[in-house]
Amino acid sequence: PKISPQTNLYYCGRMVMSRHNYPDSSTTDGFCGPDNWANCPACRTLKTDQIQEIWRQDKWQGWSGVVYCGKYISSQKLGDDIYCGPHYGLSCSECEHILKYGSHMHTTDCVVS
């Protein structure tokens, strides 16, 4: 694995991410790579300073490799009351920015309630 200069997280490049967001659809091309936004479970075990910073911001990296904060996401754009988290597979724009490089995932803004 190598550390990405864009995200400061490890990526191995293996084809192991095709079902990373199950049961929702995958948000990557199946490879663990910095141009795919989320890293694989094996690479997530290799901690960097970026992981410590994510935790300091009260965020976490879910099983899918995506970063979440748990804040309310505005329902006007999605038509449902949801939160930034793995239940819906969506990150707010603040969390998405952490792994933004190469991301094609739809997000909205967090709303502090």
Side-chain angles (χ1 to χ4, degrees), residues 60-79:
W60 71 95
Q61 196 173 19
W63 283 107
S64 64
V66 179
V67 174
Y68 304 111
C69 65
K71 293 180 184 173
Y72 178 72
I73 297 177
S74 174
S75 63
Q76 296 91 345
K77 296 180 183 179
L78 299 173

Side-chain angles (χ1 to χ4, degrees), residues 37 57-60 66-78 80-86 90-98 106-113:
W37 122 301
Q57 295 175 27
D58 290 327
K59 296 173 178 23
W60 71 95
V66 179
V67 174
Y68 304 111
C69 65
K71 293 180 184 173
Y72 178 72
I73 297 177
S74 174
S75 63
Q76 296 91 345
K77 296 180 183 179
L78 299 173
D80 197 4
D81 290 335
I82 64 171
Y83 294 82
C84 174
L90 294 175
S91 287
C92 66
S93 58
E94 182 179 313
C95 289
E96 182 188 63
H97 188 273
I98 294 170
H106 171 74
T107 62
T108 60
D109 292 325
C110 284
V111 176
V112 178
S113 48

Side-chain angles (χ1 to χ4, degrees), residues 24-74:
D24 204 0
S25 59
S26 178
T27 58
T28 75
D29 67 359
F31 290 94
C32 174
D35 57 339
N36 298 319
W37 122 301
N39 55 357
C40 74
C43 287
R44 286 195 300 273
T45 65
L46 304 171
K47 304 299 184 217
T48 65
D49 291 342
Q50 178 67 6
I51 296 298
Q52 299 298 324
E53 182 58 30
I54 289 169
W55 292 342
R56 277 193 287 277
Q57 295 175 27
D58 290 327
K59 296 173 178 23
W60 71 95
Q61 196 173 19
W63 283 107
S64 64
V66 179
V67 174
Y68 304 111
C69 65
K71 293 180 184 173
Y72 178 72
I73 297 177
S74 174

Side-chain angles (χ1 to χ4, degrees), residues 8-22:
N8 196 31
L9 297 174
Y10 282 99
Y11 297 92
C12 64
R14 295 178 302 147
M15 176 67 149
V16 293
M17 297 293 288
S18 61
R19 295 181 53 113
H20 81 102
N21 207 29
Y22 182 82

